[in-house]
Amino acid sequence: MNEKKNLTIEETFALAVQNHKKNNLQVAKNLYKTILKTNPNYAGVNYNLGITYKELEEYQKAIGCYEKAIQINPNYAQAHNNLGIVFKESQELQKAISCFQKAIDIQPNYADAHNNLGLTFKELEEYQKAISCYEKAIQIDPNYADAHNNLGLTFKELKEYQKAISCYEKA
């Protein structure tokens, strides 16, 4: 591993992603940070470091990384979506909604963002809005099991059990 200093940015990034996928989060984090020392405006590295911090439950650091990625690339839909997830997990639901809606504005067929927006509306007990979001996610990706399941959970909450069962079966 002494040859790490001789790796290109692309090789270091690939090594970081490899470690990230293997759940070696500290190693991945350090490699991402190494890249950012020489190339702080690398949106993808800021984004991936944000994911790493989120997985380490270091939410404020994750927010900073996603915001930096968005500052570098304002049309980075995935960064807006993941920022929304962190805000949702931090119970900052209005901020989460704004992030998911921004991701959808950038990429209208972003099924995950529609699903995440639905989860946030469900948490706010705005069930009709949640249902619309899940249905949009399913329209985009008919095999999106999580969206079918979330739609079922929402119908269950509304005591519409037949609709809920139908959704669970599709999930």
Side-chain angles (χ1 to χ4, degrees):
M1 283 292 182
N2 290 343
E3 56 196 55
K4 211 188 286 185
K5 290 185 178 16
N6 299 328
L7 296 178
T8 65
I9 287 176
E10 291 76 18
E11 290 167 333
T12 306
F13 185 65
L15 188 60
V17 170
Q18 221 174 34
N19 277 281
H20 197 156
K21 287 180 179 171
K22 292 179 184 170
N23 214 29
N24 298 329
L25 299 179
Q26 291 299 332
V27 174
K29 178 177 82 171
N30 291 335
L31 289 166
Y32 292 136
K33 288 170 86 173
T34 298
I35 296 168
L36 292 176
K37 283 179 192 163
T38 56
N39 194 348
N41 291 321
Y42 194 142
V45 174
N46 280 287
Y47 171 76
N48 280 27
L49 183 57
I51 293 171
T52 306
Y53 280 129
K54 180 187 166 295
E55 291 170 357
L56 292 168
E57 297 182 5
E58 296 182 43
Y59 295 128
Q60 287 309 309
K61 289 180 179 178
I63 289 168
C65 289
Y66 292 136
E67 287 176 339
K68 177 71 174 174
I70 291 165
Q71 177 191 340
I72 297 162
N73 177 3
N75 292 321
Y76 202 153
Q78 291 82 0
H80 286 283
N81 182 63
N82 281 27
L83 181 58
I85 291 169
V86 174
F87 282 136
K88 182 183 174 302
E89 290 178 6
S90 303
Q91 291 302 303
E92 296 185 62
L93 301 181
Q94 293 306 320
K95 285 183 180 179
I97 288 169
S98 295
C99 292
F100 297 136
Q101 287 176 327
K102 181 68 177 168
I104 291 165
D105 289 345
I106 295 165
Q107 195 175 323
N109 287 331
Y110 192 175
D112 284 344
H114 286 282
N115 184 60
N116 290 330
L117 184 57
L119 288 168
T120 309
F121 282 133
K122 182 177 180 282
E123 199 161 322
L124 290 167
E125 298 181 4
E126 295 184 36
Y127 298 118
Q128 293 310 314
K129 287 182 181 179
I131 288 168
S132 294
C133 293
Y134 300 137
E135 287 175 341
K136 181 66 177 172
I138 292 165
Q139 178 189 337
I140 294 164
D141 179 1
N143 297 318
Y144 194 168
D146 284 347
H148 284 287
N149 186 62
N150 292 332
L151 183 57
L153 290 169
T154 305
F155 282 132
K156 179 183 169 209
E157 197 79 26
L158 295 170
K159 298 184 180 4
E160 295 184 38
Y161 299 116
Q162 285 307 313
K163 287 182 180 179
I165 290 168
S166 173
C167 293
Y168 295 144
E169 287 171 345
K170 290 175 185 167

